[in-house]
């Protein structure tokens, strides 16, 4: 689709943060043939390692994990605490195999980013993912063209490119060639769903903008067996909110919109000031920051009722808190330490320099009040997310990142802990829960016998501090008085192929350095001249 048409579609549909980003970017650049990673091996043993299963099982150490080809063959527990020396069944390394000494290291399932738009620089994006232990991503929309993405997905599945596994959910109205034609009748909606199924979509994103069309689309999706994710746009939430979606069988809701509307008790629509204009994003996101305070109070009758019904319906929350953090702390967002080494200046500009034409770059005049509102909003939102989890609801991790892939998903883990999740619950949300929502939990999402070897290995304890999973590691004052960076994922294993995570991150920096040299651009804080 050409840029002008895409821009109009974005403007009309107010498509999520990536829309404007995608519209202004050049076309998708397929990643090169895989040069990185070793394996899969006839036998790969992770020796004396601490295992964090992803199932809420507490860690066990030291364990030997035997991987044959792409799957976990056996897991050998110690007979005595703190030593594997006494283990009766220590597996021996067979000729041709590889052994990784996991002493002092931790293994957990590969992470799953349930909301990551695949951007034009795919090699950059995929390497940032694997550098952070992310072994599966879902592309919500696949607006670059499902046919093209199916090829990329297939290459990744065959191990031909350095990339996580990909799930491609087609955005309602898009076609495999990337063209767009929004179905506006029930019949057209049903036809589109059947088309999406036939074209090999793993699921659908959104289902239209009027209740009749949404109902028809979701009904058809159920019939043909397509999973669904919905971003409830503020233009439609008064007519169709998150509870309507849960009742219609939607698998997952994205972001935060549509949830407080399901919990309104003294109004039917968000308070909009008389001069409100939805296309003014300062207004959209500024006013949006007061939304949760307009819904039912936590633990009130209405709040409980909505929460319980959603849990009962098997609904999944994919909050993508990280992409909204810039609204509660704009300075933090634009000065994160990984921006300078790992972000393209053009991407920084698109996401974080205020603009009236770029979606999500909405800080025209971002005030103390805006940030105070958003902090309160986060508290109310996180309270719902945490209680939803406590009562048996599924919560997954998605980043909706346009720039700092990988880093942002680790931040999402931190935000779940901030919401009240225990570290083991955070790990489950980032791994097994995501696999369940995508329908791939038979094969991935936990470190269990028979599953694919999709793993993250790190030499620090992530349950103590999720910051050790950032590519840049975590800061630690050592006993000798020196200040060090510790952690950073060491190895990411995708279906038995072992990637040196730090090497992938170094590749990313090289790409960014080259881009800076070529364009002469660097990251400059908004409003300052270079
Ligand atoms: Zn998105």
């Amino acid at each position: 689709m050409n840029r002008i048409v895409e821009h109009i579609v974005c403007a009309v549909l107010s498509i999520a943060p990536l829309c404007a980003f995608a519209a202004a970017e050049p076309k998708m650049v397929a990643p090169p043939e895989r040069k990185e990673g070793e394996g899969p091996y006839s036998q790969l043993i992770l020796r004396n390692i601490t295992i964090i299963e992803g199932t809420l099982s507490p860690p066990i150490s030291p364990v030997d994990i035997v991987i044959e080809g792409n799957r976990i063959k056996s897991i050998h527990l110690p007979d005595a605490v703190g030593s594997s020396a006494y283990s009766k069944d220590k597996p021996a390394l067979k000729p041709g195999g590889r052994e990784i000494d996991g002493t002092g290291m931790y293994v957990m399932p590969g992470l799953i980013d349930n909301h990551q738009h695949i951007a034009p620089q795919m090699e950059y994006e995929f390497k940032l993912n694997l550098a952070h232990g992310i072994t599966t991503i879902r592309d919500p929309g696949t607006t670059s063209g499902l046919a093209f993405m199916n090829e990329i997905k297939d290459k990744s599945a065959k191990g031909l490119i350095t990339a996580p596994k990909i799930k491609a959910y087609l955005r309602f109205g898009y076609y495999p060639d990337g063209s767009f034609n929004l179905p506006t009748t029930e019949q057209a909606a049903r036809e589109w769903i059947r088309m999406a199924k036939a074209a090999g979509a793993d699921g659908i994103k959104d289902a239209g903008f009027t209740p009749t069309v949404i109902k028809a689309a979701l009904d058809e999706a159920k019939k043909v067996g397509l999973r669904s994710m919905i971003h409830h746009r503020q233009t439609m939430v008064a007519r169709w909110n998150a509870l309507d979606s849960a009742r219609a069988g939607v698998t997952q809701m994205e972001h935060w919109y549509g949830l407080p509307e399901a919990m309104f008790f003294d109004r039917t629509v968000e308070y909009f000031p008389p001069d409100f204009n939805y296309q003014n994003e300062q207004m959209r996101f500024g006013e949006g920051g007061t939304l949760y305070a307009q819904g039912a109070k936590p633990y009130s009758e209405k709040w409980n009722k909505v929460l319980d019904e959603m849990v009962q319906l098997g609904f999944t929350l994919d909050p993508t808190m990280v992409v909204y953090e810039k609204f509660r702390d704009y300075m933090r967002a634009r000065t994160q330490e990984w921006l300078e080494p790992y972000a393209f200046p053009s991407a920084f500009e698109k996401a974080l320099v205020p603009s009236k034409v770029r979606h999500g770059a909405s800080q025209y005049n971002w005030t103390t009040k805006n940030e105070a509102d958003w902090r309160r909003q986060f508290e109310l939102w996180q309270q719902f997310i945490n209680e939803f989890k406590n009562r048996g609801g599924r919560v997954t991790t998605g980043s909706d990142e346009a720039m700092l892939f990988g880093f942002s998903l680790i931040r999402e883990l931190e935000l779940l802990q901030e919401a009240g999740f225990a570290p083991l619950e955070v790990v489950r949300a980032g791994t097994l829960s995501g696999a369940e929502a995508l329908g791939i939990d038979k094969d991935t999402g936990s470190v269990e016998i028979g599953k694919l070897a999709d793993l993250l290995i790190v030499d620090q304890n992530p349950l103590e501090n999720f910051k050790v999973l950032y590519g840049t590691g975590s800061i630690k004052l050592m006993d000798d008085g020196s200040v060090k960076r510790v952690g950073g994922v060491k190895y990411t294993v995708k279906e038995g192929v072992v990637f040196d995570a730090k090497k992938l991150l170094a590749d990313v920096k090289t790409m960014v350095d080259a881009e800076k040299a070529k364009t002469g651009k660097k990251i400059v804080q908004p409003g300052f001249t270079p």
Side-chain angles (χ1 to χ4, degrees):
M1 181 166 33
N2 75 48
R3 270 193 213 180
I4 295 166
V5 174
E6 174 138 15
H7 186 76
I8 293 166
V9 169
C10 291
V12 171
L13 305 182
S14 68
I15 285 167
L18 249 287
C19 204
F21 180 66
E25 280 293 318
K27 69 180 187 44
M28 308 292 282
V29 184
E33 212 173 285
R34 178 166 74 89
K35 294 187 292 284
E36 303 80 7
E38 293 172 326
Y41 297 91
S42 55
Q43 190 195 42
L44 170 66
I45 299 182
L46 308 179
R47 186 80 76 189
N48 293 337
I49 202 160
T50 301
I51 181 175
I52 302 166
E53 266 186 16
T55 59
L56 295 191
S57 161
I60 306 174
S61 177
V63 164
D64 291 341
I65 299 173
V66 179
I67 295 154
E68 285 183 9
N70 60 359
R71 287 195 187 259
I72 299 169
K73 175 77 176 166
S74 56
I75 297 175
H76 304 257
L77 305 182
D79 292 338
V81 176
S83 169
S84 61
Y86 307 102
S87 182
K88 287 191 274 295
D89 69 340
K90 277 201 92 54
L93 184 69
K94 292 176 188 163
R98 175 179 174 186
E99 184 166 317
I100 291 177
D101 179 8
T103 308
M105 293 193 203
Y106 295 77
V107 61
M108 56 180 264
L111 294 167
I112 298 179
D113 190 338
N114 269 261
H115 196 124
Q116 188 182 115
H117 298 273
I118 296 180
Q121 294 271 19
M122 279 183 269
E123 182 185 3
Y124 167 84
E125 178 169 347
F126 292 162
K127 283 185 170 173
L128 271 176
N129 275 285
L130 290 170
H132 287 89
I134 298 167
T135 50
T136 304
I137 61 173
R138 171 171 61 175
D139 184 8
T142 318
T143 51
S144 53
L146 180 65
F148 170 72
M149 197 49 64
N150 279 343
E151 284 172 30
I152 302 292
K153 190 174 104 176
D154 188 51
K155 281 185 187 172
S156 173
K158 289 181 175 143
L160 300 175
I161 52 175
T162 297
K165 285 190 248 278
I166 297 163
K167 288 281 159 189
Y169 278 43
L170 192 59
R171 183 175 283 153
F172 194 67
Y174 277 84
Y175 286 81
D177 64 356
S179 63
F180 179 81
N181 185 16
L182 185 70
T184 53
T185 64
E186 289 180 49
Q187 195 199 335
R190 289 181 188 278
E191 278 167 15
W192 184 89
I193 294 286
R194 291 195 291 271
M195 178 286 300
K197 176 72 179 177
D202 293 309
I204 58 158
K205 182 184 183 194
D206 301 339
F209 300 95
T210 62
T212 42
V213 168
I214 300 173
K215 270 187 211 156
L218 291 172
D219 180 60
E220 196 66 26
K222 213 182 292 173
K223 278 186 197 157
V224 302
L226 275 178
R227 284 165 190 268
S228 50
M229 61 192 293
I230 289 196
H231 165 175
H232 301 93
R233 287 161 221 294
Q234 282 159 305
T235 48
M236 64 185 253
V237 287
R239 293 200 288 174
W240 186 275
N241 64 43
L243 188 56
D244 295 312
S245 281
R247 286 173 177 163
V250 168
T251 317
Q252 247 166 320
M253 79 162 264
E254 307 300 304
H255 318 309
W256 50 278
Y257 322 83
L259 190 56
E261 285 85 352
M263 299 186 288
F264 280 164
F265 65 100
D266 62 353
R267 67 196 66 205
T268 61
V269 65
E270 175 185 342
Y271 169 75
F272 296 114
D275 62 341
F276 186 87
N277 176 358
Y278 181 71
Q279 282 309 103
N280 177 326
E281 292 208 350
Q282 163 84 31
M283 277 189 173
R284 192 197 301 183
F285 290 103
E287 290 300 322
T290 69
L291 183 56
Y292 273 66
Q294 296 175 48
K297 303 274 168 293
Y299 302 100
S300 64
E301 197 187 333
K302 178 92 184 191
W303 191 90
N304 281 319
K305 206 166 152 272
V306 171
L307 192 154
D308 287 337
E309 187 177 344
M310 284 182 173
V311 171
Q312 207 164 31
L313 289 165
F315 203 42
T316 299
L317 305 182
D318 190 34
T320 71
M321 284 179 276
V322 62
V323 79
Y324 301 100
E325 208 183 6
K326 65 179 173 183
F327 297 130
R328 73 172 185 177
D329 193 348
Y330 181 35
M331 189 188 285
R332 178 190 196 281
R334 60 186 168 76
T335 55
Q336 297 170 91
E337 68 177 7
W338 32 77
L339 281 164
E340 182 55 43
Y342 301 112
F344 290 119
S346 54
F348 173 85
E349 195 183 315
K350 279 170 195 132
L352 291 162
V353 176
S355 163
K356 291 189 178 178
V357 295
R358 290 190 299 263
H359 176 49
S362 17
Q363 284 88 353
Y364 307 171
N365 177 26
W366 205 245
T367 64
T368 311
K369 180 188 185 298
N370 290 138
E371 293 196 353
D373 286 345
W374 269 95
R375 280 171 194 278
R376 180 77 185 126
Q377 169 121 318
F378 258 76
E379 279 170 30
L380 294 168
W381 183 20
Q382 288 182 331
Q383 225 168 336
F384 188 92
I385 295 166
N386 191 45
E387 190 60 20
F388 185 81
K389 172 265 299 171
N390 287 345
R391 296 188 200 175
R394 183 184 298 122
V395 178
T396 55
T397 53
S399 67
D400 201 8
E401 181 56 73
M403 177 171 48
L404 287 161
F405 309 98
F407 288 100
S408 54
L409 196 75
I410 306 305
R411 181 64 186 160
E412 186 74 6
L413 302 182
E414 290 200 279
L415 291 169
L416 282 175
Q417 187 162 356
E418 181 183 300
F421 282 47
L424 284 172
E425 292 172 332
V426 173
V427 171
R428 182 184 60 174
T431 59
L432 188 56
S433 298
E436 286 169 356
L438 295 173
I440 54 173
D441 54 302
K442 275 208 293 289
D443 276 326
T444 192
S446 58
V447 191
E448 291 183 277
I449 295 166
K451 285 207 178 180
L452 292 168
D454 293 331
L455 310 168
L456 177 167
I457 298 170
V458 58
D459 64 4
Q460 301 285 316
N461 185 354
L463 297 175
E464 181 195 24
N465 184 8
F466 286 110
K467 292 182 196 298
V468 301
L469 300 179
Y470 285 122
T472 43
S474 185
I475 297 165
K476 203 169 185 180
L477 175 65
M478 312 308 279
D479 288 342
D480 65 3
S482 63
V483 177
K484 289 228 160 67
R485 289 286 174 147
V486 297
V489 174
K490 193 165 175 62
Y491 301 112
T492 298
V493 183
K494 181 202 163 200
E495 300 199 16
V497 177
V498 181
F499 291 94
D500 178 338
K502 294 185 180 187
K503 169 77 177 55
L504 295 177
L505 194 63
D507 287 355
V508 167
K509 183 163 186 313
T510 305
M511 278 180 238
V512 170
D513 288 347
E515 178 76 8
K516 283 177 178 167
K518 200 176 97 187
T519 61
K521 279 193 175 179
K522 52 182 185 175
I523 289 175
V524 179
Q525 287 300 319
F528 291 145
T529 35

